[in-house]
Amino acid sequence: MATKPKNPRKTFFRTYLYEMREKINKSQAQVAEEAGFDHSTYNQIECGKQGFNMNAHRLILLSRALCVPLEKLVRAEAKYYEAWMKINNKQYAAMGN
């Protein structure tokens, strides 16, 4: 008898976090430390394995660690979330541009 996977959600890489991090030439460990996360937690966020719907507190911490305006990070996460909803066949209200 086949068993269901624990987490049937599809995940994908948060390219925007990677690009922002690379632009300021920081490692995942550096961003994690500055944001107050464990390195493994930050890695899971960037890889899309954790926090498919990020909260405001995390976004504020990441904004500071990545040296980007909070609004830019929120918009990037909103686009990520819309794409996540689409690949997971979820319905959502359009957020606008």
Side-chain angles (χ1 to χ4, degrees):
M1 176 181 224
T3 59
K4 286 185 177 181
K6 287 184 179 181
N7 187 355
R9 293 183 196 134
K10 297 174 186 164
T11 61
F12 62 102
F13 197 74
R14 277 187 169 89
T15 307
Y16 77 90
L17 283 179
Y18 171 79
E19 291 171 352
M20 289 175 182
R21 182 173 57 77
E22 287 293 305
K23 188 173 183 178
I24 59 172
N25 199 30
K26 288 185 180 178
S27 68
Q28 283 188 349
Q30 289 171 311
V31 171
E33 183 178 338
E34 290 178 25
F37 303 143
D38 290 334
H39 178 226
S40 62
T41 299
Y42 179 78
N43 175 269
Q44 290 177 356
I45 291 169
E46 192 173 290
C47 291
K49 295 178 183 174
Q50 187 180 96
F52 69 91
N53 189 7
M54 290 246 257
N55 64 41
H57 182 69
R58 279 188 172 178
L59 290 170
I60 291 168
L61 295 173
L62 287 171
S63 171
R64 291 177 187 159
L66 293 167
C67 306
V68 296
L70 180 59
E71 183 178 351
K72 182 177 182 176
L73 194 62
V74 169
R75 288 184 183 276
E77 180 62 21
K79 286 181 183 179
Y80 173 87
Y81 182 69
E82 287 178 5
W84 183 91
M85 294 291 281
K86 187 174 181 177
I87 68 163
N88 282 285
N89 298 317
K90 307 284 184 184
Q91 290 185 345
Y92 61 94
M95 295 180 194
N97 295 330

